[in-house]
Amino acid sequence: EDQVTQSPEALRLQEGESSSLNCSYTVSGLRGLFWYRQDPGKGPEFLFTLYSAGEEKEKERLKATLTKKESFLHITAPKPEDSATYLCAVYGGSQGNLIFGKGTKLSVKP
Amino acid sequence: NAGVMQNPRHLVRRRGQEARLRCSPMKGHSHVYWYRQLPEEGLKFMVYLQKENIIDESGMPKERFSAEFPKEGPSILRIQQVVRGDSAAYFCASSPLIAGGNYNEQFFGPGTRLTVL
């Protein structure tokens, strides 16, 4: 069964304290792994797409990496405005079926 | 370029009433997806549509729920005879035409928060 598991469920960091979020996936034939950011009361905001193992993408303080079994979202020197829930998703068996993890709720304290 | 638009943003219905949720995809996007998010749970896929076609409705309950994406106008998610368990945030996403072996990212709207009293 296609599955996405994110860890930790919640992460509290001090401003400037770098860390990583994990997304483990099980899917038959990866056709894209996606990272989103979701703020309370809002829709998910697209961050990155990764297609093949070894691929990396960067945007400001965020860097996403991909292996054959998992993806990491590295946050370097986070700021309070990086506080949000970060979601990971992969395409499942059918063409339009994005499977989401439950997310990691990140809190960055000043 | 306007993003995905959803309305209403908040909808309150009494048990037994009908709820209609609307979604206008991003300009140039021909694929629309609906997801439901319950408190403390992840986003769950419901249905995938192209213009005038339902491509995949494997995540949608068999009864009371229906979706359409007509040739003209927004996509509609319709919930008949709502029950309290239908209370959730409903998100619409859109993507451009799929090409090649990989699949494009989906862009999400702000969601409609349905409350059933």
Side-chain angles (χ1 to χ4, degrees), chain A residues 35-101:
Chain A
W35 282 97
Y36 290 85
R37 167 191 171 132
Q38 187 174 25
D39 293 293
K42 296 189 176 181
E45 175 190 345
F46 170 73
L47 293 174
F48 301 110
T49 304
L50 300 166
Y51 286 116
S52 55
E55 191 173 358
E56 298 183 352
K57 294 274 180 74
E58 278 189 78
K59 179 181 179 181
E60 296 181 355
R61 296 176 293 282
L62 300 176
K63 178 180 177 180
T65 61
L66 181 66
T67 71
K68 288 186 177 180
K69 294 184 178 181
E70 58 191 350
S71 177
F72 291 94
L73 185 65
H74 307 277
I75 303 176
T76 302
K79 298 182 177 181
E81 53 262 40
D82 294 323
S83 297
T85 295
Y86 290 85
L87 302 172
C88 173
V90 298
Y91 273 106
S94 65
Q95 199 172 354
N97 187 14
L98 259 186
I99 300 171
F100 278 86

Side-chain angles (χ1 to χ4, degrees), chain B residues 24-38:
Chain B
S24 296
M26 287 179 70
K27 186 177 180 181
H29 286 191
S30 55
H31 302 252
V32 166
Y33 316 80
W34 286 93
Y35 293 83
R36 177 165 62 179
Q37 188 172 43
L38 293 165

Side-chain angles (χ1 to χ4, degrees), chain B residues 6-11 21-22 88-91 110-114:
Chain B
Q6 289 187 251
N7 67 80
R9 296 292 306 277
H10 299 275
L11 182 61
L21 288 60
R22 295 175 183 77
Y90 292 82
F91 291 97
T112 293
R113 277 144 190 87
L114 172 66

